[in-house]
Amino acid sequence: MDKLGLIAGNGRFPFQLLDAARAEGLTVVVAAIKEETDREIDARAAADSGIRVHWMSLGELSRLIDTFKAEGVTRAVMAGQVRHTQIFSSIRPDWRLAKLLLNLRTRNTDMLLGAVAKVLADEGIELISSTHYLEPLIARRGVLTLRAPDEAELKDIAYGRIVARAIAAYDLGQTVVIAAQACVAVEAMEGTDATIERAGALMNGLRDPASTLRRTLTVVKVAKPNQDMRFDVPVIGAPTIATMVRAGASCLAIEAGRTLLFDAAAIAAAADRAGIAIVAE
């Protein structure tokens, strides 16, 4: 039986990919990151002999390679977020990762994961697209909710895409939050949901309730200009819609063909209940 290595971060992404790979009859060897992966992965392995889990620290690149080699893995996929703030944590890199970090010009996502992918390739392990088994989950073009963006939201989307693509080109983040064609929040290390929450807090903190400007928020999430589909692919799930509701956001714009929607029906239903418009272009 063919094997697939799964480098699992946090969230539901690893489980979505795990289900898709098992549906195709693949044995999945999971490299579960102690600092990130949900312990539910152990229960999944206990119930399915086609899943094997190996726990390791984020800094153990050599152990990752040795584990995949011992299991006969020649193809692997990354799924799930690894918080960018982990690079400032107390994690101790092994000699291989330390060498890699010392040779990086900058410590952004593309540079770091691209270097890890090269090390894996040099060891005979090909890192494939994280969407390879999840094509049905990729956002289709068009309005994905009952309500389409209104004229004001369309203006915010157009401006937001300019800003978001600019920051994405520097691998700083993929999300911006706009109100009345003004940038309220820009994503950095904190992640999409935290960026939306920060924007909501800023708008809710305005003292004067009267304003000549519309205060509803539009969230714009993009892929990087040269998005490497092997890692850091834009992902939207139902929790993002819940965060938007709390923050007072009324519109979400994403990129068609380059964004994964985890349970598109649930996302659309939650957005419709809240009167949120979602559009993919």
Side-chain angles (χ1 to χ4, degrees):
M1 184 178 291
D2 290 339
K3 291 183 179 180
L4 178 71
L6 170 57
I7 303 170
N10 63 45
R12 303 312 299 170
F13 194 172
F15 296 95
Q16 293 273 358
L17 201 142
L18 185 61
D19 289 341
R22 289 297 295 133
E24 293 201 14
L26 298 175
T27 294
V28 182
V29 179
V30 181
I33 301 171
K34 292 177 182 177
E35 298 82 6
E36 298 287 354
T37 312
D38 193 316
R39 289 282 169 176
E40 180 188 337
I41 204 82
D42 282 333
R44 296 292 297 276
D48 185 346
S49 62
I51 302 172
R52 293 202 281 276
V53 176
H54 300 267
W55 287 93
M56 58 195 70
S57 173
L58 189 59
E60 295 181 305
L61 181 55
S62 292
R63 186 175 177 187
L64 169 67
I65 291 168
D66 292 344
T67 297
F68 279 170
K69 282 187 168 182
E71 289 277 9
V73 169
T74 58
R75 291 186 311 143
V77 62
M78 289 183 178
Q81 184 190 44
V82 173
R83 290 164 292 172
H84 295 190
T85 51
Q86 290 285 15
I87 66 173
F88 295 108
S89 71
S90 60
I91 294 168
R92 294 183 179 181
D94 63 16
W95 69 269
R96 198 189 297 262
L97 183 59
K99 180 180 177 181
L100 183 152
L101 290 171
L102 286 172
N103 289 325
L104 291 180
R105 295 195 306 275
T106 57
R107 291 184 179 180
N108 59 32
T109 304
D110 277 357
M111 194 71 69
L112 176 57
L113 296 182
V116 170
K118 185 180 183 306
V119 170
L120 291 174
D122 290 344
E123 296 292 338
I125 302 164
E126 178 192 7
L127 194 63
I128 64 173
S129 170
S130 58
T131 65
H132 184 82
Y133 298 100
L134 299 174
E135 294 295 330
L137 303 185
I138 296 176
R140 56 177 175 79
R141 187 175 301 276
V143 176
L144 308 183
T145 46
L146 294 176
R147 185 176 77 80
D150 62 25
E151 184 177 349
E153 289 165 340
L154 288 172
K155 289 179 180 179
D156 284 347
I157 290 169
Y159 173 60
R161 284 197 171 118
I162 293 171
V163 178
R165 285 168 180 158
I167 67 164
Y170 289 97
D171 198 17
L172 298 177
Q174 297 171 307
T175 303
V176 297
V177 185
I178 309 295
Q181 297 177 70
C183 188
V184 180
V186 175
E187 180 186 8
M189 284 189 174
E190 72 272 43
T192 297
D193 286 2
T195 303
I196 298 169
E197 289 173 350
R198 178 159 50 87
L202 283 168
M203 297 305 282
N204 290 331
L206 296 175
R207 294 181 180 178
D208 186 357
S211 175
T212 58
L213 295 177
R214 184 171 173 172
R215 291 183 178 180
T216 55
L217 303 172
T218 291
V219 179
V220 180
K221 189 176 183 70
V222 302
K224 297 165 192 171
N226 298 306
Q227 179 73 50
D228 190 327
M229 299 303 283
R230 295 176 298 175
F231 39 75
D232 210 25
V233 176
V235 172
I236 295 294
T240 301
I241 305 303
T243 301
M244 289 179 63
V245 172
R246 291 194 300 273
S250 65
C251 182
L252 171 63
I254 58 177
E255 282 203 56
R258 301 208 293 175
T259 305
L260 286 170
L261 297 176
F262 290 158
D263 198 343
I267 291 170
D272 288 337
R273 286 194 298 271
I276 293 172
I278 303 177
V279 62
E281 294 183 2

